[in-house]
Amino acid sequence: MIGYIKGKILSLTPECALIETAGGIGFEVNCSGSAFSSLAGKSEGELYTYLQVSENGTALYGFSSQEEKSMFLKLISVSGVGPKMGIAVLSGLSSGELAAAIATQDVKRLSAVKGLGKKTAERIILELREKVSLNASAAAEGGVPLPPVTSGDEDAVVALMTLGFSRSESEKAISRARANGASTVEDIIMLALKGM
């Protein structure tokens, strides 16, 4: 599988990048919005990638970070969400915004993404929130002492953990965000991400 690509940017559109690697091979990569932004204006660039192989052919999808790729993999694990829809969601929302929407069960925010209906948005929230909860309980079983978290902050903790941060990192960032005046879950998450 091709998990990472680095090279000369031959062409770039908001949907696709053509990147030539050292061997002179050009890879056409379907880009997320964040991946496009990370490559724009540069002559060389790098992306974390996911290779989809299906009966209709192969496609390569590119992301600006491992965290974004991880969020994409979680999205396409949801029934009815394929790679094209996953890329569309990550082009409409950043990983942080998506995590916040899942944590706060914001169906309206998710279904604002072009091509994503209300039922699919609800399914994404239901299935991914459950997976994040399983990850949180698995981390707790690892024997690491966890500081107490108020029930109001748990949604923010879950959102940050979805992005790949540890529970303790998430809780410290949330404490700092609260100290800086954040009160809603969205504000807490955004301030916490800025402080990480």
Side-chain angles (χ1 to χ4, degrees):
M1 181 184 284
I2 301 167
Y4 173 83
I5 190 168
K6 182 177 182 177
K8 184 178 177 184
I9 302 167
L10 300 179
S11 70
L12 181 66
T13 68
E15 294 82 28
C16 186
L18 182 59
I19 300 177
E20 180 184 11
T21 60
I25 299 171
F27 289 92
E28 192 172 83
V29 186
N30 297 300
C31 292
S32 69
S34 176
F36 169 74
S37 297
S38 73
L39 297 176
K42 297 180 180 175
S43 60
E44 291 192 359
E46 59 186 21
L47 295 173
Y48 292 92
T49 58
Y50 168 78
L51 178 64
Q52 177 202 22
V53 180
S54 69
E55 58 191 35
N56 299 328
T58 60
L60 196 59
Y61 295 88
F63 312 94
S64 62
S65 66
Q66 284 280 32
E67 292 76 23
E68 186 181 33
K69 180 179 175 181
S70 174
M71 184 63 83
F72 172 80
L73 293 174
K74 287 176 182 164
L75 275 172
I76 64 172
S77 74
V78 174
S79 174
V81 179
K84 285 185 180 178
M85 179 55 69
I87 276 288
V89 171
L90 287 172
S91 292
L93 298 169
S94 71
S95 293
E97 291 168 336
L98 177 58
I102 291 167
T104 59
Q105 300 183 32
D106 192 345
V107 175
K108 187 176 179 182
R109 190 172 189 183
L110 263 179
S111 54
V113 173
K114 187 178 179 181
L116 184 65
K118 184 181 176 187
K119 286 188 178 180
T120 306
E122 289 170 345
R123 193 177 314 120
I124 288 170
I125 289 169
L126 177 70
E127 292 187 28
L128 293 189
R129 188 175 169 115
E130 204 170 278
K131 283 184 180 182
V132 170
S133 296
L134 288 174
N135 290 341
S137 62
E141 288 169 13
V144 179
L146 302 175
V149 176
T150 66
S151 59
D153 290 340
E154 187 62 29
D155 286 342
V157 170
V158 168
L160 293 174
M161 288 176 65
T162 302
L163 295 174
F165 297 105
S166 72
R167 186 171 187 90
S168 62
E169 287 174 326
S170 301
E171 289 174 348
K172 287 176 187 171
I174 289 165
S175 296
R176 286 193 299 268
R178 279 223 181 263
N180 287 325
S183 57
T184 67
V185 173
E186 291 87 352
D187 290 343
I188 290 168
I189 292 168
M190 291 306 158
L191 269 178
L193 285 171
K194 285 179 184 175
M196 289 180 142

